[in-house]
Amino acid sequence: MGATPNNLLEALEPVVAENLDRHLAIAQEWHPHDYIPWSRGRDFAMLGGEDYAPEQSQLSETAKAAMFTNLLTEDNLPSYHREIATQFGRDGAWGTWVGRWTAEENRHGIAMRDYLVVTRGVDPVELERARMDYMTSGYDSGAKNALETVAYVSFQELATRVSHRNTGKVTNDPVADRMLARISKDENLHMVFYRNIVAAALELAPDETMRAITDEVIRFEMPGATMAGFRRNSMVIAKAGIYDLRLHHDDVIMPVLRHWNVFERTGFGPVGEQAREELSSFLIGLDLKATAFVDRRAENRARQARRADSDLTPDIAS
């Protein structure tokens, strides 16, 4: 009989310790200031310089929306720390991991904010007001238990990696691309840590873990979903192919599920089998929605291209 939810955290402690040691051994030290083009900065009006104007930004509207959303998501770190510290505790290997994860995540917001302010990529006043609003409201994961939390972050860390990496590509700035690629490495290592914990939980409590995985896949949303303008910016991001349903299905959900061998493994009881069936049905629907979205996007892009070609074609008088 597997471990019960009440003692699962304690049962997973040796696995956490092992993966913490693994993480510390392979994580490479880096410093946010090394990734910022300080020579492109200048004073704002309060110090005798010039305040932000939209034409100063070299970023496209798509890149602005993506970096704005990604940075505000990273900014809510105090809320995320509270959530995982409450779930995992502050003692032993779990507590050490919580502290280390928080310290590493903090670098991401530092680097992105410094880049955007120094390069005047977005309006810093708008950014600060949005930060104040979003951090004041905070983040609430709801009634997730520890098992659901670790299942959720296995997907969420990978989703964040994909979003940051693809955002870097659309900035058309090698400096931003390099910075976001470096941040993405952290996110990937965090995903591996959580993914390995869930893999161990599947061995200790297969039914409870399978139920948690299914629930978190079905109700998944990014932690920034409650910020003002998130839905609008998410559509801009999806239309640009930075993060969309196809990427969510193909590059986030499925790789993690394959690693856990969810659909091939045996040993589930009725609860686990039911959860797996629900997950399979959901994924079929998600795949269909992803295909429909990609098809619509392709049609819209083709229509826009035809319109652009038409606008460039000179009128010839008969």
Side-chain angles (χ1 to χ4, degrees), residues 61-71 73 159 162-164 166-167 170 222 227 229-245 247 293 297 301:
E61 292 304 311
T62 296
K64 287 180 184 178
M67 292 203 73
F68 198 96
T69 301
N70 290 355
L71 173 54
T73 301
V162 171
S163 181
H164 282 325
N166 289 338
T167 296
V170 303
M222 292 296 281
M227 76 174 64
F230 181 83
R231 185 175 297 277
R232 180 184 66 252
N233 286 342
S234 293
M235 285 307 301
V236 172
I237 290 167
K239 288 178 180 178
I242 296 171
Y243 195 89
D244 55 32
L245 284 177
L247 288 168
F293 175 82
R297 183 173 62 193
R301 287 176 177 176

Side-chain angles (χ1 to χ4, degrees), residues 22 27 87 164 193 248 268 277 295:
R22 175 187 180 278
Q87 292 285 3
H164 282 325
F193 177 91
H248 182 64
F268 290 123
E277 290 176 10
D295 289 346

Side-chain angles (χ1 to χ4, degrees), residues 245-297:
L245 284 177
R246 176 50 61 203
L247 288 168
H248 182 64
H249 178 279
D250 291 359
D251 293 2
V252 176
I253 300 299
M254 295 310 298
V256 177
L257 293 179
R258 283 194 294 268
H259 182 85
W260 292 331
N261 201 30
V262 161
F263 294 109
E264 290 76 30
R265 67 188 304 128
T266 59
F268 290 123
V271 171
E273 290 292 354
Q274 176 64 29
R276 181 159 60 176
E277 290 176 10
E278 290 178 28
L279 178 61
S280 180
S281 297
F282 175 81
L283 291 174
I284 291 172
L286 180 63
D287 187 44
L288 291 173
K289 290 179 182 178
T291 298
F293 175 82
V294 170
D295 289 346
R296 286 197 307 272
R297 183 173 62 193

